[in-house]
Amino acid sequence: MACRMAHYLALENAHIDGFQLNPLEMEIRRRTWASTIMMERLAFMYLDLPSMFANVPVRTRSHIPEELWPSGWPEHQITPYLSRIGSEHSLLAYMKPLIVLYGRVADFVQQNHGTRMIIDYQTLDADLDAWFLSLPPALRDLSSAADSPIALDSHPSPMEWQNFWIACSLLFFGHHASGILRKWLLTTILSQPEKVVKAAGFALGDDSDVDQTALLATVLADALQVADAETYLLKRALRVDPTLTTLTPHLATGIYQVGLVYVMALGTKGLEGQDAIYKRCQEGISVHARSLDMLANSFGSGTAMARALRQSEKAST
């Protein structure tokens, strides 16, 4: 509703013919439009629905004022300490390209794909990987090696804690974009294996003979990699605050979507290392369900999502 109203008011245009706006009024229009577009992209991604602005001209869909996005901090200034993760201002610099990628994922998973499906998927997946690699190592490390200690000051300031949770939220957004994309391919190969095998053969060359079981194993491994990264991040967040009261509730739907990767993996049969896969899935579902239970304190549907994950796990095993 807010995004539609902003579009009707032409807030994407800082200047309006026939009206005299001062610099402050123009800046308010630009920032309001940028904020509504960002939230629209995130909301529709979490709902697994196409963006309302999918067919609106690119100028309208993607216009976010450059001045809202300061450049990222220099690499040499980043060390793996909570107080060094960066300020809210600089962390948000990484949000602009992620919002664009969110929109591409939202559009991609809603489209019908032909023989170029794997080629187009790999292009988008590579762009998401490139975004993660653009993050400072201290930020990426929050999603890996969850058992390693977090180097905290003895008495972190409120700003340092805030930066930590903003960093976690940024990573969650990235994991949700990658998780939804890879879950889509996993769903497709489980429901339409011939279509995916044909597209994979086209990507490799018309004469390529693609083994369906090997392809499924690769797709599953890629999907589990993203789900595991989110599991590591959730473990870290739960260790810092077992109630997750600092995380915003709109993350719940994305956490649920990525958790479904584990449920789908439980339904696969005949793959090498099946017992290890089951163990990873059970642990991942447990962490995701626990996190959703905690988020239910501020988002009532979190409990229902956690219950759905646990029931799906029982049905799959």
Side-chain angles (χ1 to χ4, degrees), residues 71-79 84 90 94 136-137:
S71 60
W73 56 79
E75 185 76 18
H76 68 274
Q77 294 182 0
I78 299 300
T79 56
R84 301 288 185 175
S90 53
Y94 292 94

Side-chain angles (χ1 to χ4, degrees), residues 117-118 121-122 182 185-186 188-190 192-204 209-223 268 271:
M117 172 174 55
I118 295 298
Y121 167 87
Q122 289 177 328
R182 296 189 182 186
L185 185 59
L186 181 58
T188 305
I189 194 172
L190 289 174
Q192 306 176 65
E194 298 84 2
K195 181 178 180 180
V196 179
V197 168
K198 181 179 180 180
F202 179 80
L204 295 172
D209 185 15
V210 178
D211 181 84
Q212 180 177 322
T213 301
L215 181 59
L216 172 59
T218 300
V219 172
L220 179 60
D222 288 344
T268 59
L271 296 180

Side-chain angles (χ1 to χ4, degrees), residues 8-216:
Y8 288 160
L9 292 171
L11 294 185
E12 70 271 17
N13 297 314
H15 302 277
I16 303 177
D17 294 339
F19 290 88
Q20 293 291 332
L21 300 177
N22 61 46
L24 176 59
E25 291 172 328
M26 290 189 290
E27 184 67 12
I28 290 174
R29 291 177 65 86
R30 284 195 293 263
R31 289 175 180 264
T32 301
W33 173 249
S35 299
T36 52
I37 283 292
M38 287 169 58
M39 294 309 299
E40 187 267 351
R41 278 305 198 189
L42 293 176
F44 276 78
M45 174 63 72
Y46 287 140
L47 294 173
D48 203 12
L49 294 173
S51 168
M52 182 174 68
F53 281 81
N55 296 317
V56 175
V58 173
R59 178 186 62 81
T60 302
R61 289 177 55 196
S62 61
H63 173 65
I64 299 177
E66 291 294 334
E67 57 269 25
L68 290 183
W69 310 103
S71 60
W73 56 79
E75 185 76 18
H76 68 274
Q77 294 182 0
I78 299 300
T79 56
Y81 290 86
L82 177 63
S83 59
R84 301 288 185 175
I85 285 179
S87 67
E88 176 183 2
H89 196 58
S90 53
L91 284 172
L92 291 178
Y94 292 94
M95 183 63 80
K96 179 181 179 180
L98 180 57
I99 290 295
V100 175
L101 288 170
Y102 254 106
R104 291 174 58 192
V105 171
D107 294 343
F108 184 88
V109 300
Q110 296 295 330
Q111 296 170 355
N112 292 321
H113 300 276
T115 54
R116 288 187 53 85
M117 172 174 55
I118 295 298
I119 295 176
D120 295 339
Y121 167 87
Q122 289 177 328
T123 300
L124 181 51
D125 193 52
D127 289 343
L128 284 165
D129 284 342
W131 178 84
F132 275 104
L133 290 174
S134 74
L135 300 175
L139 196 56
R140 294 199 306 269
D141 287 348
L142 292 176
S143 290
S144 61
D147 293 333
S148 63
I150 307 174
L152 303 175
D153 292 338
S154 57
H155 299 287
S157 69
M159 180 59 71
E160 289 169 341
W161 281 118
Q162 178 181 342
N163 291 344
F164 171 76
W165 290 111
I166 291 174
C168 285
S169 297
L170 180 66
L171 286 171
F172 278 125
F173 293 152
H175 292 321
H176 296 168
S178 292
I180 290 173
L181 178 64
R182 296 189 182 186
K183 179 172 71 71
W184 171 86
L185 185 59
L186 181 58
T187 301
T188 305
I189 194 172
L190 289 174
S191 60
Q192 306 176 65
E194 298 84 2
K195 181 178 180 180
V196 179
V197 168
K198 181 179 180 180
F202 179 80
L204 295 172
D206 291 335
D207 297 329
S208 299
D209 185 15
V210 178
D211 181 84
Q212 180 177 322
T213 301
L215 181 59
L216 172 59

